[in-house]
PDB file of all heavy atoms in Angstrom:
ATOM      1  N   ALA B  24      14.345  -4.731  -9.937  1.00 89.00           N
ATOM      2  CA  ALA B  24      12.873  -4.531  -9.686  1.00 89.00           C
ATOM      3  C   ALA B  24      12.303  -5.944  -9.680  1.00 89.00           C
ATOM      4  O   ALA B  24      12.740  -6.890 -10.340  1.00 89.00           O
ATOM      5  CB  ALA B  24      12.238  -3.741 -10.772  1.00 89.00           C
ATOM      6  N   SER B  25      11.201  -6.151  -8.937  1.00 92.00           N
ATOM      7  CA  SER B  25      10.457  -7.406  -8.962  1.00 92.00           C
ATOM      8  C   SER B  25       9.815  -7.618 -10.343  1.00 92.00           C
ATOM      9  O   SER B  25       9.574  -6.622 -11.060  1.00 92.00           O
ATOM     10  CB  SER B  25       9.341  -7.406  -7.906  1.00 92.00           C
ATOM     11  OG  SER B  25       8.283  -6.599  -8.250  1.00 92.00           O
ATOM     12  N   PRO B  26       9.597  -8.818 -10.763  1.00 95.00           N
ATOM     13  CA  PRO B  26       8.960  -9.066 -12.037  1.00 95.00           C
ATOM     14  C   PRO B  26       7.617  -8.385 -12.123  1.00 95.00           C
ATOM     15  O   PRO B  26       7.186  -7.862 -13.205  1.00 95.00           O
ATOM     16  CB  PRO B  26       8.838 -10.548 -12.102  1.00 95.00           C
ATOM     17  CG  PRO B  26       9.899 -11.106 -11.244  1.00 95.00           C
ATOM     18  CD  PRO B  26       9.994 -10.096 -10.117  1.00 95.00           C
ATOM     19  N   ALA B  27       6.849  -8.313 -10.997  1.00 96.00           N
ATOM     20  CA  ALA B  27       5.527  -7.645 -11.007  1.00 96.00           C
ATOM     21  C   ALA B  27       5.670  -6.153 -11.218  1.00 96.00           C
ATOM     22  O   ALA B  27       4.933  -5.527 -12.096  1.00 96.00           O
ATOM     23  CB  ALA B  27       4.768  -7.925  -9.744  1.00 96.00           C
ATOM     24  N   ALA B  28       6.601  -5.606 -10.546  1.00 94.00           N
ATOM     25  CA  ALA B  28       6.878  -4.143 -10.740  1.00 94.00           C
ATOM     26  C   ALA B  28       7.412  -3.843 -12.119  1.00 94.00           C
ATOM     27  O   ALA B  28       7.022  -2.837 -12.788  1.00 94.00           O
ATOM     28  CB  ALA B  28       7.877  -3.556  -9.733  1.00 94.00           C
ATOM     29  N   ASP B  29       8.240  -4.702 -12.615  1.00 94.00           N
ATOM     30  CA  ASP B  29       8.756  -4.583 -14.046  1.00 94.00           C
ATOM     31  C   ASP B  29       7.592  -4.632 -14.991  1.00 94.00           C
ATOM     32  O   ASP B  29       7.594  -3.792 -16.043  1.00 94.00           O
ATOM     33  CB  ASP B  29       9.735  -5.661 -14.208  1.00 94.00           C
ATOM     34  CG  ASP B  29      10.550  -5.448 -15.560  1.00 94.00           C
ATOM     35  OD1 ASP B  29      11.127  -4.266 -15.699  1.00 94.00           O
ATOM     36  OD2 ASP B  29      10.615  -6.308 -16.416  1.00 94.00           O
ATOM     37  N   ALA B  30       6.661  -5.475 -14.811  1.00 96.00           N
ATOM     38  CA  ALA B  30       5.514  -5.623 -15.714  1.00 96.00           C
ATOM     39  C   ALA B  30       4.720  -4.327 -15.689  1.00 96.00           C
ATOM     40  O   ALA B  30       4.216  -3.850 -16.808  1.00 96.00           O
ATOM     41  CB  ALA B  30       4.609  -6.857 -15.329  1.00 96.00           C
ATOM     42  N   VAL B  31       4.465  -3.826 -14.561  1.00 97.00           N
ATOM     43  CA  VAL B  31       3.707  -2.545 -14.461  1.00 97.00           C
ATOM     44  C   VAL B  31       4.407  -1.429 -15.135  1.00 97.00           C
ATOM     45  O   VAL B  31       3.786  -0.705 -15.930  1.00 97.00           O
ATOM     46  CB  VAL B  31       3.430  -2.145 -12.980  1.00 97.00           C
ATOM     47  CG1 VAL B  31       2.888  -0.710 -12.921  1.00 97.00           C
ATOM     48  CG2 VAL B  31       2.486  -3.191 -12.308  1.00 97.00           C
ATOM     49  N   MET B  32       5.693  -1.298 -14.983  1.00 94.00           N
ATOM     50  CA  MET B  32       6.454  -0.231 -15.592  1.00 94.00           C
ATOM     51  C   MET B  32       6.524  -0.397 -17.094  1.00 94.00           C
ATOM     52  O   MET B  32       6.378   0.572 -17.829  1.00 94.00           O
ATOM     53  CB  MET B  32       7.888  -0.266 -15.002  1.00 94.00           C
ATOM     54  CG  MET B  32       8.051   0.155 -13.632  1.00 94.00           C
ATOM     55  SD  MET B  32       7.491   1.846 -13.293  1.00 94.00           S
ATOM     56  CE  MET B  32       8.796   2.722 -14.102  1.00 94.00           C
ATOM     57  N   ASN B  33       6.531  -1.660 -17.593  1.00 95.00           N
ATOM     58  CA  ASN B  33       6.509  -1.875 -18.939  1.00 95.00           C
ATOM     59  C   ASN B  33       5.144  -1.449 -19.626  1.00 95.00           C
ATOM     60  O   ASN B  33       5.085  -0.872 -20.684  1.00 95.00           O
ATOM     61  CB  ASN B  33       6.818  -3.352 -19.338  1.00 95.00           C
ATOM     62  CG  ASN B  33       8.234  -3.600 -19.519  1.00 95.00           C
ATOM     63  OD1 ASN B  33       8.974  -3.010 -20.196  1.00 95.00           O
ATOM     64  ND2 ASN B  33       8.730  -4.570 -18.657  1.00 95.00           N
ATOM     65  N   ARG B  34       4.052  -1.734 -18.949  1.00 96.00           N
ATOM     66  CA  ARG B  34       2.753  -1.326 -19.400  1.00 96.00           C
ATOM     67  C   ARG B  34       2.670   0.183 -19.432  1.00 96.00           C
ATOM     68  O   ARG B  34       2.160   0.755 -20.406  1.00 96.00           O
ATOM     69  CB  ARG B  34       1.710  -1.857 -18.479  1.00 96.00           C
ATOM     70  CG  ARG B  34       1.520  -3.385 -18.563  1.00 96.00           C
ATOM     71  CD  ARG B  34       0.324  -3.936 -17.739  1.00 96.00           C
ATOM     72  NE  ARG B  34      -0.907  -3.299 -18.245  1.00 96.00           N
ATOM     73  CZ  ARG B  34      -1.883  -2.941 -17.372  1.00 96.00           C
ATOM     74  NH1 ARG B  34      -1.734  -2.992 -16.074  1.00 96.00           N
ATOM     75  NH2 ARG B  34      -2.990  -2.380 -17.819  1.00 96.00           N
ATOM     76  N   TRP B  35       3.290   0.863 -18.387  1.00 96.00           N
ATOM     77  CA  TRP B  35       3.328   2.310 -18.415  1.00 96.00           C
ATOM     78  C   TRP B  35       4.144   2.841 -19.597  1.00 96.00           C
ATOM     79  O   TRP B  35       3.730   3.745 -20.312  1.00 96.00           O
ATOM     80  CB  TRP B  35       3.870   2.778 -17.116  1.00 96.00           C
ATOM     81  CG  TRP B  35       4.184   4.292 -17.078  1.00 96.00           C
ATOM     82  CD1 TRP B  35       3.251   5.300 -16.934  1.00 96.00           C
ATOM     83  CD2 TRP B  35       5.466   4.935 -17.295  1.00 96.00           C
ATOM     84  NE1 TRP B  35       3.914   6.560 -16.967  1.00 96.00           N
ATOM     85  CE2 TRP B  35       5.253   6.272 -17.170  1.00 96.00           C
ATOM     86  CE3 TRP B  35       6.733   4.374 -17.431  1.00 96.00           C
ATOM     87  CZ2 TRP B  35       6.294   7.181 -17.273  1.00 96.00           C
ATOM     88  CZ3 TRP B  35       7.744   5.352 -17.566  1.00 96.00           C
ATOM     89  CH2 TRP B  35       7.535   6.734 -17.459  1.00 96.00           C
ATOM     90  N   ALA B  36       5.345   2.237 -19.851  1.00 94.00           N
ATOM     91  CA  ALA B  36       6.180   2.659 -20.857  1.00 94.00           C
ATOM     92  C   ALA B  36       5.517   2.536 -22.304  1.00 94.00           C
ATOM     93  O   ALA B  36       5.749   3.334 -23.161  1.00 94.00           O
ATOM     94  CB  ALA B  36       7.527   1.966 -20.880  1.00 94.00           C
ATOM     95  N   ARG B  37       4.722   1.522 -22.515  1.00 94.00           N
ATOM     96  CA  ARG B  37       4.023   1.263 -23.697  1.00 94.00           C
ATOM     97  C   ARG B  37       2.740   2.099 -23.843  1.00 94.00           C
ATOM     98  O   ARG B  37       2.064   2.152 -24.840  1.00 94.00           O
ATOM     99  CB  ARG B  37       3.626  -0.202 -23.874  1.00 94.00           C
ATOM    100  CG  ARG B  37       4.741  -1.073 -24.102  1.00 94.00           C
ATOM    101  CD  ARG B  37       4.377  -2.517 -24.445  1.00 94.00           C
ATOM    102  NE  ARG B  37       3.456  -3.100 -23.490  1.00 94.00           N
ATOM    103  CZ  ARG B  37       3.767  -3.940 -22.455  1.00 94.00           C
ATOM    104  NH1 ARG B  37       5.100  -4.243 -22.302  1.00 94.00           N
ATOM    105  NH2 ARG B  37       2.891  -4.396 -21.702  1.00 94.00           N
ATOM    106  N   GLY B  38       2.346   2.939 -22.798  1.00 95.00           N
ATOM    107  CA  GLY B  38       1.238   3.796 -22.841  1.00 95.00           C
ATOM    108  C   GLY B  38      -0.034   3.143 -22.576  1.00 95.00           C
ATOM    109  O   GLY B  38      -1.158   3.704 -22.790  1.00 95.00           O
ATOM    110  N   GLU B  39      -0.003   1.902 -21.992  1.00 96.00           N
ATOM    111  CA  GLU B  39      -1.168   1.168 -21.625  1.00 96.00           C
ATOM    112  C   GLU B  39      -1.872   1.649 -20.486  1.00 96.00           C
ATOM    113  O   GLU B  39      -3.059   1.508 -20.292  1.00 96.00           O
ATOM    114  CB  GLU B  39      -0.889  -0.311 -21.517  1.00 96.00           C
ATOM    115  CG  GLU B  39      -0.416  -0.873 -22.876  1.00 96.00           C
ATOM    116  CD  GLU B  39       0.072  -2.335 -22.676  1.00 96.00           C
ATOM    117  OE1 GLU B  39      -0.123  -2.991 -21.576  1.00 96.00           O
ATOM    118  OE2 GLU B  39       0.678  -2.854 -23.610  1.00 96.00           O
ATOM    119  N   ILE B  40      -1.114   2.321 -19.508  1.00 97.00           N
ATOM    120  CA  ILE B  40      -1.701   2.825 -18.304  1.00 97.00           C
ATOM    121  C   ILE B  40      -1.113   4.214 -18.027  1.00 97.00           C
ATOM    122  O   ILE B  40      -0.047   4.541 -18.558  1.00 97.00           O
ATOM    123  CB  ILE B  40      -1.445   1.915 -17.022  1.00 97.00           C
ATOM    124  CG1 ILE B  40       0.005   1.744 -16.829  1.00 97.00           C
ATOM    125  CG2 ILE B  40      -2.202   0.581 -17.270  1.00 97.00           C
ATOM    126  CD1 ILE B  40       0.394   0.990 -15.535  1.00 97.00           C
ATOM    127  N   SER B  41      -1.822   5.038 -17.229  1.00 96.00           N
ATOM    128  CA  SER B  41      -1.348   6.405 -16.974  1.00 96.00           C
ATOM    129  C   SER B  41      -0.275   6.390 -15.890  1.00 96.00           C
ATOM    130  O   SER B  41      -0.094   5.363 -15.214  1.00 96.00           O
ATOM    131  CB  SER B  41      -2.532   7.205 -16.492  1.00 96.00           C
ATOM    132  OG  SER B  41      -2.919   6.828 -15.153  1.00 96.00           O
ATOM    133  N   THR B  42       0.352   7.521 -15.749  1.00 95.00           N
ATOM    134  CA  THR B  42       1.363   7.643 -14.736  1.00 95.00           C
ATOM    135  C   THR B  42       0.817   7.423 -13.348  1.00 95.00           C
ATOM    136  O   THR B  42       1.384   6.735 -12.471  1.00 95.00           O
ATOM    137  CB  THR B  42       2.126   9.023 -14.756  1.00 95.00           C
ATOM    138  OG1 THR B  42       2.670   9.096 -16.104  1.00 95.00           O
ATOM    139  CG2 THR B  42       3.155   9.117 -13.708  1.00 95.00           C
ATOM    140  N   THR B  43      -0.419   7.984 -13.129  1.00 97.00           N
ATOM    141  CA  THR B  43      -1.078   7.774 -11.885  1.00 97.00           C
ATOM    142  C   THR B  43      -1.382   6.242 -11.596  1.00 97.00           C
ATOM    143  O   THR B  43      -1.117   5.871 -10.479  1.00 97.00           O
ATOM    144  CB  THR B  43      -2.452   8.650 -11.848  1.00 97.00           C
ATOM    145  OG1 THR B  43      -2.101  10.010 -11.956  1.00 97.00           O
ATOM    146  CG2 THR B  43      -3.210   8.438 -10.527  1.00 97.00           C
ATOM    147  N   GLN B  44      -1.899   5.659 -12.641  1.00 98.00           N
ATOM    148  CA  GLN B  44      -2.216   4.213 -12.453  1.00 98.00           C
ATOM    149  C   GLN B  44      -0.948   3.399 -12.166  1.00 98.00           C
ATOM    150  O   GLN B  44      -0.863   2.516 -11.389  1.00 98.00           O
ATOM    151  CB  GLN B  44      -2.893   3.653 -13.733  1.00 98.00           C
ATOM    152  CG  GLN B  44      -4.276   4.127 -13.914  1.00 98.00           C
ATOM    153  CD  GLN B  44      -4.809   3.761 -15.298  1.00 98.00           C
ATOM    154  OE1 GLN B  44      -4.151   3.965 -16.311  1.00 98.00           O
ATOM    155  NE2 GLN B  44      -6.031   3.305 -15.325  1.00 98.00           N
ATOM    156  N   MET B  45       0.208   3.731 -12.893  1.00 96.00           N
ATOM    157  CA  MET B  45       1.413   3.093 -12.592  1.00 96.00           C
ATOM    158  C   MET B  45       1.918   3.212 -11.186  1.00 96.00           C
ATOM    159  O   MET B  45       2.249   2.255 -10.489  1.00 96.00           O
ATOM    160  CB  MET B  45       2.528   3.605 -13.610  1.00 96.00           C
ATOM    161  CG  MET B  45       3.918   3.010 -13.388  1.00 96.00           C
ATOM    162  SD  MET B  45       5.018   3.907 -12.286  1.00 96.00           S
ATOM    163  CE  MET B  45       5.153   5.504 -13.105  1.00 96.00           C
ATOM    164  N   ARG B  46       1.872   4.488 -10.662  1.00 95.00           N
ATOM    165  CA  ARG B  46       2.316   4.723  -9.328  1.00 95.00           C
ATOM    166  C   ARG B  46       1.433   4.005  -8.349  1.00 95.00           C
ATOM    167  O   ARG B  46       1.904   3.358  -7.377  1.00 95.00           O
ATOM    168  CB  ARG B  46       2.240   6.211  -9.010  1.00 95.00           C
ATOM    169  CG  ARG B  46       3.281   6.929  -9.766  1.00 95.00           C
ATOM    170  CD  ARG B  46       3.175   8.472  -9.484  1.00 95.00           C
ATOM    171  NE  ARG B  46       4.264   9.161 -10.248  1.00 95.00           N
ATOM    172  CZ  ARG B  46       4.148  10.475 -10.487  1.00 95.00           C
ATOM    173  NH1 ARG B  46       3.136  11.173 -10.217  1.00 95.00           N
ATOM    174  NH2 ARG B  46       5.154  11.084 -11.128  1.00 95.00           N
ATOM    175  N   GLU B  47       0.120   3.985  -8.493  1.00 96.00           N
ATOM    176  CA  GLU B  47      -0.753   3.301  -7.637  1.00 96.00           C
ATOM    177  C   GLU B  47      -0.452   1.833  -7.652  1.00 96.00           C
ATOM    178  O   GLU B  47      -0.481   1.182  -6.501  1.00 96.00           O
ATOM    179  CB  GLU B  47      -2.274   3.590  -8.022  1.00 96.00           C
ATOM    180  CG  GLU B  47      -2.724   4.948  -7.833  1.00 96.00           C
ATOM    181  CD  GLU B  47      -4.082   5.225  -8.392  1.00 96.00           C
ATOM    182  OE1 GLU B  47      -4.658   4.390  -9.196  1.00 96.00           O
ATOM    183  OE2 GLU B  47      -4.650   6.308  -8.066  1.00 96.00           O
ATOM    184  N   GLN B  48      -0.301   1.238  -8.792  1.00 97.00           N
ATOM    185  CA  GLN B  48      -0.028  -0.247  -8.868  1.00 97.00           C
ATOM    186  C   GLN B  48       1.267  -0.623  -8.195  1.00 97.00           C
ATOM    187  O   GLN B  48       1.362  -1.623  -7.525  1.00 97.00           O
ATOM    188  CB  GLN B  48      -0.122  -0.648 -10.294  1.00 97.00           C
ATOM    189  CG  GLN B  48      -1.515  -0.627 -10.843  1.00 97.00           C
ATOM    190  CD  GLN B  48      -1.618  -0.991 -12.329  1.00 97.00           C
ATOM    191  OE1 GLN B  48      -0.800  -1.695 -12.855  1.00 97.00           O
ATOM    192  NE2 GLN B  48      -2.585  -0.444 -12.981  1.00 97.00           N
ATOM    193  N   VAL B  49       2.343   0.202  -8.449  1.00 94.00           N
ATOM    194  CA  VAL B  49       3.558  -0.146  -7.762  1.00 94.00           C
ATOM    195  C   VAL B  49       3.500  -0.003  -6.294  1.00 94.00           C
ATOM    196  O   VAL B  49       4.033  -0.810  -5.629  1.00 94.00           O
ATOM    197  CB  VAL B  49       4.758   0.728  -8.490  1.00 94.00           C
ATOM    198  CG1 VAL B  49       6.083   0.580  -7.636  1.00 94.00           C
ATOM    199  CG2 VAL B  49       4.936   0.331  -9.877  1.00 94.00           C
ATOM    200  N   ARG B  50       2.858   1.079  -5.903  1.00 95.00           N
ATOM    201  CA  ARG B  50       2.714   1.185  -4.429  1.00 95.00           C
ATOM    202  C   ARG B  50       1.925   0.029  -3.797  1.00 95.00           C
ATOM    203  O   ARG B  50       2.299  -0.375  -2.698  1.00 95.00           O
ATOM    204  CB  ARG B  50       1.994   2.599  -4.069  1.00 95.00           C
ATOM    205  CG  ARG B  50       2.845   3.802  -4.313  1.00 95.00           C
ATOM    206  CD  ARG B  50       2.093   5.036  -4.038  1.00 95.00           C
ATOM    207  NE  ARG B  50       2.977   6.264  -4.289  1.00 95.00           N
ATOM    208  CZ  ARG B  50       2.509   7.253  -4.861  1.00 95.00           C
ATOM    209  NH1 ARG B  50       1.232   7.408  -5.351  1.00 95.00           N
ATOM    210  NH2 ARG B  50       3.340   8.283  -5.052  1.00 95.00           N
ATOM    211  N   ALA B  51       0.913  -0.275  -4.453  1.00 96.00           N
ATOM    212  CA  ALA B  51       0.087  -1.467  -4.001  1.00 96.00           C
ATOM    213  C   ALA B  51       0.994  -2.758  -3.871  1.00 96.00           C
ATOM    214  O   ALA B  51       0.788  -3.529  -2.974  1.00 96.00           O
ATOM    215  CB  ALA B  51      -1.073  -1.748  -4.879  1.00 96.00           C
ATOM    216  N   LEU B  52       1.841  -2.936  -4.830  1.00 94.00           N
ATOM    217  CA  LEU B  52       2.717  -4.134  -4.837  1.00 94.00           C
ATOM    218  C   LEU B  52       3.550  -4.204  -3.558  1.00 94.00           C
ATOM    219  O   LEU B  52       3.886  -5.210  -3.003  1.00 94.00           O
ATOM    220  CB  LEU B  52       3.608  -4.147  -6.040  1.00 94.00           C
ATOM    221  CG  LEU B  52       2.996  -4.506  -7.409  1.00 94.00           C
ATOM    222  CD1 LEU B  52       4.014  -4.246  -8.477  1.00 94.00           C
ATOM    223  CD2 LEU B  52       2.602  -5.939  -7.472  1.00 94.00           C
ATOM    224  N   TYR B  53       3.941  -3.019  -3.086  1.00 89.00           N
ATOM    225  CA  TYR B  53       4.905  -2.897  -1.960  1.00 89.00           C
ATOM    226  C   TYR B  53       4.130  -2.491  -0.665  1.00 89.00           C
ATOM    227  O   TYR B  53       4.754  -2.229   0.360  1.00 89.00           O
ATOM    228  CB  TYR B  53       6.030  -2.006  -2.230  1.00 89.00           C
ATOM    229  CG  TYR B  53       6.902  -2.514  -3.389  1.00 89.00           C
ATOM    230  CD1 TYR B  53       6.750  -2.073  -4.658  1.00 89.00           C
ATOM    231  CD2 TYR B  53       7.810  -3.580  -3.101  1.00 89.00           C
ATOM    232  CE1 TYR B  53       7.568  -2.617  -5.655  1.00 89.00           C
ATOM    233  CE2 TYR B  53       8.602  -4.159  -4.106  1.00 89.00           C
ATOM    234  CZ  TYR B  53       8.389  -3.630  -5.404  1.00 89.00           C
ATOM    235  OH  TYR B  53       9.215  -4.131  -6.406  1.00 89.00           O
ATOM    236  N   GLY B  54       2.815  -2.499  -0.681  1.00 90.00           N
ATOM    237  CA  GLY B  54       2.023  -2.157   0.459  1.00 90.00           C
ATOM    238  C   GLY B  54       2.178  -0.786   0.915  1.00 90.00           C
ATOM    239  O   GLY B  54       2.049  -0.450   2.075  1.00 90.00           O
TER     240      GLY B  54
END
Side-chain angles (χ1 to χ4, degrees):
S25 72
D29 192 53
V31 170
M32 294 295 293
N33 274 304
R34 289 183 63 220
W35 171 78
R37 290 190 305 265
E39 296 173 10
I40 60 175
S41 71
T42 300
T43 299
Q44 291 169 315
M45 178 269 298
R46 288 177 180 158
E47 289 171 350
Q48 290 177 25
V49 170
R50 286 180 182 137
L52 287 172
Y53 295 101

